[in-house]
Amino acid sequence: MRIVEADEDTLVRYLHLYQGCSIVEKNSMFFLLLKNYMWSLKPCRFKDRLRGELIVLHRTLHDDDAVPRLVRNVCGPQNGLRAPKLNEAATLRDVVDTVTFLARQRDHKVRACLRLANAMHLAGLCPLMCYSFGRWQLSENTTVRQVRELIEFSVMTLYRVAARDSTSDAAERVLINSDGSNSDIYASPDRLRVYKVPKNMAAFEFLSEQEYGIAKFLRSTALAPYVAADYAYDPARRVISHELIEGRTGEHYLLPDTGLTAQQVRSLEVFYYRHRSLYNMVLLDIHPGNFIWNERAACWTLIDLGAIPTIGREYYEHETYSDYLFHIWQQRRHYMAQHPIRSLDFSIDLNV
């Protein structure tokens, strides 16, 4: 159920999905990669130079040579640097060797990671996003496991750029939420079922199927009362459906004039400890916006069962329920106001 645990062939296949992206989508992924690398830098001449390259890339997203040209401008010549070659037949071992080699070079972290991204781009492989959650995820002693985690994180995030039109699979259903990262949510005309329709390549190629597998698994565990009933999956369209849960999300109960009831706090506590017992098997995105309070069942329902990447999992790792309630729920609006960018900046703009 976790991409990081997939077999080597599956991981490499996910990297190769990059080949099916348009040049605009590929360049946009590189744009996000460079923009997020810039967040690691304090004001300096190098950052100003990168900003200039970012502006040029923003203007030339349709240009096939935009990425190699940018990397040449920023990184200069190879100067005898003989990194392992990547090509369309690259294996996971080839990717690991390239990552390890470039990480050990005496070069600025940004330059080393741009060289890596360009090598993967030219080989038709999804570039690896090596900076997220305010820190570098790459070091001189990078292990195979860490490269697997980088692949998982990169394909789950960067492939969001490759958008799909969800309306073609919506039939006569009613759009009720288009704010999700990976799927648009539609309701049946009788409002008895909801349909999660993929809105990007990540969802269509692997995330929807992964979420359905998690749903089936959780229905057989102690978390079953917190999962909507009657999950179904259309493997051709990659559409998930289940019963519609009427109610408000946890975000509503964080507003100043509302607040959580004692019953809601207790229901969340039971969920938390049951979830902790499954933590090494499935990583769920358990923030308030992914819960709906089911008045009829007097219980929270987790409406988004999509897994989170291994990188960043510590955000939800708290020793006690009180810590989780405080940091993830009660302080959510405060944290979002102070640190609106938690994992990555996904905006294709020049605000950096």
Side-chain angles (χ1 to χ4, degrees), residues 333-351:
R333 290 181 176 275
H334 172 72
Y335 290 155
M336 290 299 289
Q338 288 202 333
H339 306 285
I341 301 172
R342 192 177 78 85
S343 56
L344 293 177
D345 182 346
F346 285 100
S347 303
I348 307 292
D349 61 33
L350 300 171
N351 181 27

Side-chain angles (χ1 to χ4, degrees), residues 10 27 71 75 84 94 110 112 147 205 210 262 305 308 320:
T10 299
N27 288 346
V71 175
C75 301
D94 294 330
V110 170
V147 173
E205 293 291 347
Q210 180 192 50
L305 301 181
I308 60 173
T320 66

Side-chain angles (χ1 to χ4, degrees), residues 68-285:
R69 183 173 58 244
L70 183 153
V71 175
R72 288 194 300 269
N73 291 343
V74 172
C75 301
Q78 294 284 359
N79 290 330
L81 189 67
R82 295 186 178 274
K85 292 291 186 181
L86 290 177
N87 54 45
E88 293 185 0
T91 65
L92 181 61
R93 183 72 257 173
D94 294 330
V95 175
V96 171
D97 288 346
T98 303
V99 170
T100 303
F101 178 84
L102 290 174
R104 290 176 178 173
Q105 300 307 304
R106 292 189 174 182
D107 201 353
H108 194 288
K109 187 82 75 173
V110 170
R111 290 194 181 96
C113 290
L114 287 179
R115 290 188 194 276
L116 170 63
N118 186 46
M120 299 191 73
H121 168 77
L122 293 175
L125 303 172
C126 179
L128 298 184
M129 176 65 78
C130 301
Y131 182 83
S132 58
F133 297 96
R135 65 180 183 275
W136 288 99
Q137 307 292 342
L138 192 67
S139 69
E140 295 180 2
N141 301 311
T142 298
T143 64
V144 174
R145 172 67 183 196
Q146 289 171 319
V147 173
R148 281 177 159 269
E149 292 177 0
L150 282 170
I151 292 172
E152 176 190 58
F153 183 79
S154 300
V155 299
M156 289 180 71
T157 54
L158 290 179
Y159 285 166
R160 291 187 193 182
V161 171
R164 292 184 76 256
D165 180 10
S166 71
T167 59
S168 61
D169 291 314
E172 297 179 356
R173 300 162 192 157
V174 180
L175 180 66
I176 58 175
N177 191 324
S178 61
D179 296 331
S181 300
N182 295 303
S183 300
D184 286 333
I185 312 301
Y186 294 83
S188 59
D190 57 10
R191 294 191 66 83
L192 294 179
R193 295 187 66 75
V194 294
Y195 299 83
K196 301 184 70 172
V197 183
K199 64 192 299 182
N200 58 47
M201 186 171 73
F204 186 81
E205 293 291 347
F206 46 83
L207 291 183
S208 289
E209 183 177 10
Q210 180 192 50
E211 181 174 350
Y212 178 62
I214 291 172
K216 289 197 300 181
F217 168 71
L218 293 180
R219 291 292 300 176
S220 67
T221 70
L223 282 182
Y226 296 87
V227 177
D230 198 19
Y231 263 80
Y233 181 64
D234 181 339
R237 296 181 172 85
R238 321 293 168 90
V239 174
I240 297 172
S241 64
H242 58 75
E243 66 167 333
L244 186 148
I245 305 296
E246 296 283 3
R248 297 181 181 274
T249 72
E251 296 278 6
H252 169 76
Y253 298 98
L254 302 182
L255 296 172
D257 57 345
T258 54
L260 296 168
T261 67
Q263 187 179 43
Q264 289 170 334
V265 171
R266 174 56 182 161
S267 174
L268 191 61
E269 181 177 17
V270 174
F271 169 88
Y272 174 78
Y273 285 113
R274 292 182 182 182
H275 172 256
R276 275 193 66 175
S277 69
L278 303 171
Y279 198 61
N280 287 325
M281 289 179 276
V282 59
L283 303 179
L284 299 174
D285 197 4

